[in-house]
Structures are given as structure tokens and as C-alpha cells.
Amino acid sequence: MRGTRLHRMLASGDCALNGWSAIPSPFLAEAMAHQGFDSITLDLQHGLISFDAALAMLQAISTTDVTPLARVAGLEPPAIMKLLDAGAMGIICPLIDNAAQAAAFVSACRYPPFGGRSFGPTRAQLYAGRDYVAKANETILTFAMIETVEGFDNVDAILAVPGLDGVYIGPSDLSFTHGHDPVTGPEQAEMLARIDAIRDAARRAGKKVAMHSSAIDYCVAMWGRGFDMVTAPNDNRLFGIGTQQLMTALDRKAAAPAPRAGY
């Protein structure tokens, strides 16, 4: 099947680098897919991407072997199924707080008898190959976001859900819900200990664990911390970081600072 570069990385035990798209631009998605990322996630939660834009971006990414993923806006099975039918090879679902929600998420991504995904792989079969339907249940990646106090407290039960491939740590909301600033909180020792605890729980469960980052230094720090996948700053932030470097080199002040907060 096409679109399984990330799957091979996860199977090999190497840490995968995930790009993050918030800007609704097929050309930018195509350009990002040529930069060396193993996967690229289209952000339909906090990004500005509609389904129509996501479809065009999935088509643009398919000019490469980079694995296309999508973060959905929430636990909405019809929206999840529609993105899978459009060719997303994995879903990151935000705000999964308990095992029941995790099970509902997995069900939306799996065909019967292992789930309730409706049949209709309109573009997915064209993209991934004729054997898509036969292999989809074992190929589509499912990552539940752990980003709240409740999700953290229930992480072992969430990881025990059959069919869930792993968890994806959202450090800003995890910090926010634990009483820390969402920008600086992820760097605090208390939050780093919680992040490590989620990683270790995934290891015990034999599941994968991915980590979000919104700054280059944080991404580098997380890269060596034992995760299966680390997300780079999104396209908007990388633009801001590059622009700030230019302005600094020219001794000019940028009109707006490069965004630092994470989502």
C-alpha cells in the first residue's frame, strides 16, 4: 500500500519526524512533503483547513511517499470517516479522556467486524491501492491525544483499548489543565515528568507514543527523549521563525514575534 512510510518508521523503532500543516494551501503541503518529513499532519482542529482544502492537500502530499495524517476537530465519527475516505492514512483525535472515548475513536477508523466505519473509500482506494479495504484495518493509524487531567489519569485504560495504535501528547493543553501556562508549562519539571509518565505507560502497553512541539528547541529536546514520533513546529511557525532570523540578520524588528505557544 502507498502512504506507509511512517508505518515503516514506527515498525523499525526509529523516531519519525512529523510535519504539521495549519495553513490551507495545497502548494505549501506539497512543498512541505519535499522537505524530509516522514509524515505530515493536516490540522483541522486549530488550523485553518476545511475539508475541501484538506482533500487538495492530501492530493498534493501524494506526489511523495510521505504519510498523510489528519488531526480532526473532535471525536466526530462522520468527519473521521470522510477524511479516511479522502486518503488520510492515520487520524490524531484530540481530547480523548477515557477508554470509552478511545474505543469510539477506534471504531470510527475500523471496518466491521472490528469497528463501525462505513464503506466508501472514494479516494483512499485510488491513492493507497486496490487492496486498501482488505488492509485498512491493520494500516490506518489511530493516535488518541492525551492533553487533559482526566486523560492523563486514565492513560493506562486508554492504552488498553484494542485497535488503538498509540497516544499523542499535547503538551500545551496538558500543562493548561494542570494549572500551568500553556506556553511555558511544557518545559516545567512537573510537566516533563508527566510527559515521561505517558511515554512510559505507552511502552508498558506495547503502544506507540508521539509528542507535539511548537518550537525548534523543544522539538530537538523531545527528539532524544524516547518517543516514536516527534512533531515539528507547524508551517505558520516555521515561516515566523525564518522571518525573524532574516529580520535579526538585517538588524530590523519584525512586525510580530514568531509564535511560541503550542497547539
Side-chain angles (χ1 to χ4, degrees):
M1 290 178 66
R2 290 184 65 197
T4 56
R5 174 173 169 174
L6 175 60
H7 304 67
R8 296 192 297 272
M9 293 286 294
L10 295 176
S12 71
D14 295 328
C15 185
L17 182 62
N18 178 49
W20 197 266
S21 288
I23 299 171
S25 167
F27 172 69
L28 183 54
E30 182 179 24
M32 284 188 66
H34 285 270
Q35 300 307 309
F37 295 109
D38 300 302
S39 57
I40 293 177
T41 299
L42 308 185
D43 186 1
L44 281 80
Q45 184 190 21
H46 291 302
L48 305 178
I49 301 170
S50 66
F51 174 79
D52 288 345
L55 173 58
M57 293 169 77
L58 289 168
Q59 292 171 313
I61 293 169
S62 69
T63 61
T64 71
D65 71 342
V66 173
T67 301
L69 308 175
R71 176 168 72 171
V72 292
L75 181 52
E76 302 169 355
I80 291 171
M81 295 180 202
K82 195 172 182 70
L83 280 164
L84 292 176
D85 290 343
M89 297 300 288
I91 299 292
I92 299 170
C93 189
L95 299 170
I96 296 297
D97 290 335
N98 54 59
Q101 291 175 345
F105 164 48
V106 170
S107 179
C109 298
R110 304 282 184 245
Y111 287 125
F114 304 106
R117 181 183 173 187
S118 177
F119 178 77
T122 309
R123 178 178 177 269
Q125 192 164 252
L126 293 174
Y127 166 63
R130 292 181 178 274
D131 57 351
Y132 174 82
V133 174
K135 294 184 177 179
N137 279 349
E138 63 188 62
T139 305
I140 295 301
L141 293 169
T142 53
F143 282 93
M145 286 196 74
I146 305 299
E147 51 184 342
T148 67
V149 172
E150 186 178 357
F152 177 78
D153 290 343
N154 292 326
V155 68
D156 289 319
I158 291 169
L159 284 163
V161 170
L164 183 71
D165 290 300
V167 291
Y168 187 102
I169 302 171
S172 292
D173 277 322
L174 188 66
S175 298
F176 213 5
T177 60
H178 278 91
H180 292 278
D181 182 89
V183 178
T184 61
E187 300 175 348
Q188 301 300 312
E190 177 187 344
M191 293 312 305
L192 288 172
R194 289 191 173 97
I195 288 167
D196 287 346
I198 297 171
R199 178 202 61 204
D200 295 345
R203 290 281 176 264
R204 291 194 301 270
K207 302 289 180 75
K208 301 300 181 182
V209 56
M211 182 66 191
H212 195 81
S213 68
S214 59
I216 289 176
D217 56 350
Y218 198 76
C219 178
V220 172
M222 295 301 105
W223 186 257
R225 213 171 178 94
F227 298 103
D228 298 292
M229 182 174 80
V230 173
T231 293
N234 70 26
D235 46 10
N236 184 45
R237 289 200 174 83
L238 290 175
F239 169 77
I241 291 167
T243 300
Q244 277 217 320
Q245 290 178 346
L246 172 63
M247 295 302 175
T248 299
L250 296 174
D251 196 26
R252 292 172 59 93
K253 184 177 181 181
R260 179 69 172 83
Y263 50 74

